């Protein structure tokens, strides 16, 4: 809702593409910076308390968003509330992951992996699909304004999140190991700095950093402007889709393609290892972006044709992203694997944050066709850096017969 659906909402409300790209990219910051305050989750209260507490706080934030959209200065208030919700969500990430490991043994952790993944997909369908469709239907069927439609959406979201908070406060288990950490000589903040210094000393650190930051340089711009392009009228260079059509593309077509591409990427890496698939996956995540340039140039009016093109792009993105996730695991290996993976994902968020900041300005300067060609050219840095990246042969390959 914060980093994806906000783009659609602001486009509906008439905010310029440059402002959409800038402000919605800034919402990535809480996920980038979460390692800084992660020690507080260990030091203050329990993981269980942080889990249901942040859910309730997000619910209050969504209810406040519904009120803010009715104010003359709604933009300032909504941006502030998105920041608060993002901070709560990133904190929830830390607490929920920690609680998951404390409340379940290894067998149960493995058992619930599939269930977690399923509900994550349901959340994506709901956020990027269902709620976008709801907003569109409220406008088309009941002739309300987009301000009123999105107010209704955030009221629903607020009630859902507060209900989940109350539910989890009652049903979540009480593991004996879930208690505040004690200060035994080294503070959590000092420990975090020590672990971060170890991450900086990794072999090929600067190559790794440039690889992570540039891997999605094009995608980081595309993801911010693609909804605006699909919604903008024909005369503005867009495809004039409705919210309902966009919700169907995001929530069904795109999600299925993304999931299948990710599964296929995981299968080929498990069979052959990461190293031989790095180049194919880099090309897969970048070359299909040219399809958006073709859509912008020809501006087709066929919903099936548009959906098919986006299906291909999303499938290739899911396929290419599988290699990226495996690379993050690869560079996190060592005695501090969990903490280093958190640092790696923070840099991953930075790889979306930085290009997203300029996306709106580049689109307004170049127009949609020129912008999507620029997105394709944004793959040049990763093509230059990749030959210098060292990956052990066989990493990621499943042991035994496949």
């Amino acid at each position: 809702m914060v980093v994806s659906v906000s783009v659609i909402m602001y486009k509906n409300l008439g905010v310029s593409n440059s402002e959409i790209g800038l402000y919605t990219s800034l919402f990535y910051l809480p996920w980038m910076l979460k390692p800084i305050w992660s020690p507080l989750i260990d030091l203050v209260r329990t993981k269980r308390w942080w889990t249901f507490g942040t859910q309730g706080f997000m619910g209050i934030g969504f209810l406040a968003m519904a009120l803010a959209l009715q104010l003359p200065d709604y933009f300032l208030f909504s941006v502030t509330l998105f920041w608060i919700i993002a901070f709560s969500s990133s904190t929830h990430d830390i607490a929920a992951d920690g609680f998951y490991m404390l409340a379940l043994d290894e067998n149960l952790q493995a058992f619930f992996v599939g269930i977690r993944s399923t509900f994550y997909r349901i959340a994506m369908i709901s956020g990027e699909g269902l709620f976008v469709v709801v907003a569109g239907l409220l406008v088309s069927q009941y002739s309300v304004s987009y301000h009123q439609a999105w107010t209704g959406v955030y009221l629903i979201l607020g009630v859902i999140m507060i209900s989940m908070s109350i539910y989890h406060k009652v049903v979540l288990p009480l593991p004996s190991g879930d208690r505040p950490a004690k200060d035994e000589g080294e503070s959590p903040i000092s420990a975090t700095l020590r672990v971060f210094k170890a991450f900086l000393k990794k072999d090929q650190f600067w190559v790794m950093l440039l690889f992570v930051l540039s891997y999605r340089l094009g995608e980081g711009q595309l993801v911010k402007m693609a909804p605006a392009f699909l919604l903008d009228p024909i005369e503005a260079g867009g495809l004039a889709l409705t919210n309902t059509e966009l919700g169907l593309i995001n929530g069904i077509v795109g999600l299925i393609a993304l999931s299948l591409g990710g599964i296929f990427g995981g299968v080929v890496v498990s069979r052959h290892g990461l190293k031989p698939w790095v180049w194919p996956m880099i090309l897969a995540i970048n070359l299909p972006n040219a399809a958006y340039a073709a859509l912008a140039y020809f501006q087709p009016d066929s919903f099936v044709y548009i959906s098919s093109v986006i299906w291909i792009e999303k499938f290739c993105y899911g396929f290419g992203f599988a290699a990226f996730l495996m690379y993050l695991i690869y560079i996190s290996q060592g005695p501090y694997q969990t903490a280093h993976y958190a640092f790696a994902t923070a840099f991953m968020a930075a790889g979306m944050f930085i290009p997203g900041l300029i996306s709106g300005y580049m689109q307004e300067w170049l127009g949609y066709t020129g912008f999507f060609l620029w997105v394709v050219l944004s793959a040049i840095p990763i093509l230059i850096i990749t030959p210098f990246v060292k990956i052990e042969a066989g990493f990621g390959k499943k042991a035994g017969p496949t």
Side-chain angles (χ1 to χ4, degrees), residues 31-110:
W31 283 278
M32 286 172 52
L33 303 177
K34 67 181 181 180
I36 295 175
W37 66 82
S38 59
L40 296 176
I41 311 304
D42 284 324
L43 195 62
V44 180
R45 305 296 291 261
T46 64
K47 307 289 192 307
R48 184 182 189 274
W49 182 87
W50 282 102
T51 299
F52 71 75
T54 49
Q55 290 172 2
F57 198 70
M58 281 186 275
I60 294 171
F62 284 132
L63 292 179
M65 183 72 73
L67 296 175
L69 291 178
Q70 301 304 308
L71 300 175
D73 295 328
Y74 78 91
F75 185 75
L76 174 62
F77 287 109
S78 64
V79 166
T80 303
L81 286 168
F82 272 132
W83 260 85
I84 294 171
I85 296 168
F87 180 83
S88 300
S89 180
S90 61
T91 303
H92 181 274
D93 282 354
I94 302 166
D97 288 343
F99 181 77
Y100 184 80
M101 291 183 284
L102 286 171
L104 303 172
D105 60 29
E106 289 185 8
N107 290 334
L108 285 176
Q109 287 179 32

Side-chain angles (χ1 to χ4, degrees), residues 2 26 30 43 99 118 121 132 171-172 178 189 226 338 385 393:
V2 174
L26 288 172
L43 195 62
F99 181 77
T118 298
R121 298 301 178 191
V132 175
V171 304
L172 286 179
D178 187 17
I189 294 177
T338 300
I385 294 164

Side-chain angles (χ1 to χ4, degrees), residues 6 15 25 27 47 76 118 120 175 182 184 203 209 237 258 282 351 357 380 388:
S6 62
V15 178
S25 295
F27 298 154
K47 307 289 192 307
L76 174 62
T118 298
Y120 177 72
K182 294 181 180 178
E184 297 179 353
D203 184 40
L209 179 62
L258 191 67
I282 286 174
L357 289 176
I380 292 175
F388 300 97

